[in-house]
Amino acid sequence: MSLFVISWLDREDGLAVRLATREAHLAYVAAHQGVVRLGGPFLSEEGDMAGSMLVIEAESLEAAQAFHEADPYRAAGLFETSTVRPWRVTIGGLA
């Protein structure tokens, strides 16, 4: 298994969409506890959620992209940009 970082930036008017979809997103992540290793929202200068980052474990880039595609936030059209990239821990660690 390899690690991947999924990084999303919300569209400018996305806070209402994020709040309306948050429970479905959190349920999706909770249902994949063996996949998701670390995650949380990016914050605006005002402290509002403005994007997301997840570190996931997957068999391949294609599997990581499929996980990303199925996220309720993505289905709701929340993100202005999103990326899925292979990643390696160099400093610190994941429990």
Side-chain angles (χ1 to χ4, degrees):
M1 296 282 263
S2 298
L3 294 174
F4 298 86
V5 170
I6 303 173
S7 178
W8 300 285
L9 293 178
D10 295 359
R11 63 183 206 224
E12 191 170 319
D13 63 343
L15 186 57
V17 174
R18 175 177 282 276
L19 294 175
T21 315
R22 185 167 169 75
E23 291 304 316
H25 165 74
L26 293 176
Y28 176 72
V29 170
H32 294 88
Q33 289 184 0
V35 173
V36 178
R37 300 291 307 275
L38 178 72
F42 293 121
L43 302 176
S44 69
E45 290 181 15
E46 296 79 24
D48 294 327
M49 294 177 284
S52 298
M53 190 222 38
L54 292 177
V55 176
I56 68 166
E57 203 166 24
E59 290 289 334
S60 65
L61 178 59
E62 292 77 18
Q65 289 170 329
F67 178 84
H68 161 56
E69 293 290 329
D71 190 290
Y73 277 162
R74 181 158 171 85
L78 174 60
F79 304 121
E80 182 176 319
T81 64
S82 61
T83 60
V84 180
R85 293 187 175 110
W87 187 69
R88 177 183 310 133
V89 176
T90 301
I91 299 170
L94 296 172

